[in-house]
Amino acid sequence: MGNPRAAPDGGPLAAGEYTERHLYRVRCDGSDPSPERLTAQAGLHSGIALSHDHSAFVDSCSSASEPVAAALAALPQPAASSARPAAAEKVLFSARAADARVASLGAVLRPPRFVSFPSSDGAVTLQAAVYEPDEAVFGHGPHPTVVSCYGGAHVQ
């Protein structure tokens, strides 16, 4: 059956392919089948809400190195197909700004290193986030290790 989340050539996904999720739009009349990316910031975009007049949207985004933030962004006019992705016009919420503890953790914690490897039977490619302690702060290992596996909602 293979891995449905594999790269088009059947190989493993690059880190950006599973750590990124963006908002796109495409013309429904078939005049331009190319999707237009509307979100610019790297990371996982979710909770997107479109204004009633279709002129703006609210975007919630987070990444491995940035905590969640929600912003209002103008929706570029479809005629401006060469327009760049929408930039945030107004930040509505920022976890970093809302809680000083989040900002202080950003100075201590390092973002994870993303890796991919085949399952033991070679049927699927597994992805992992490896959080490594800062050797300058915690010294040379070995360090205690926590392995947390998430097999998806279907196995719970």
Side-chain angles (χ1 to χ4, degrees):
M1 183 169 197
N3 181 3
R5 297 276 302 146
D9 64 359
L13 291 170
E17 294 182 45
Y18 62 91
T19 60
E20 299 277 327
R21 183 174 52 228
H22 293 276
L23 173 65
Y24 291 83
R25 74 173 164 199
V26 64
R27 296 188 62 89
C28 294
D29 63 5
S31 62
D32 183 6
S34 307
E36 178 187 358
R37 183 168 148 180
L38 298 176
T39 49
Q41 183 180 352
L44 297 170
H45 296 263
S46 62
I48 296 171
L50 188 62
S51 66
H52 291 289
D53 66 358
H54 302 171
S55 65
F57 63 97
V58 174
D59 175 26
S60 175
C61 180
S62 66
S63 70
S65 59
E66 285 297 320
V68 68
L72 178 66
L75 199 55
Q77 294 301 312
S81 60
S82 62
R84 292 177 297 160
E89 290 189 354
K90 179 179 181 183
V91 175
L92 304 172
F93 173 80
S94 167
R96 186 180 300 279
D99 189 337
R101 296 173 297 178
V102 174
S104 66
L105 282 174
V108 180
L109 299 177
R110 297 186 333 189
R113 178 173 51 91
F114 293 100
V115 297
S116 296
F117 53 93
S119 61
S120 59
D121 62 2
V124 295
T125 299
L126 305 172
Q127 288 84 34
V130 179
Y131 293 85
E132 299 169 310
D134 184 347
E135 198 169 305
V137 175
F138 299 102
H140 184 66
H143 302 286
T145 301
V146 176
V147 176
S148 177
C149 296
Y150 175 69
H154 65 284
V155 296
Q156 294 184 357

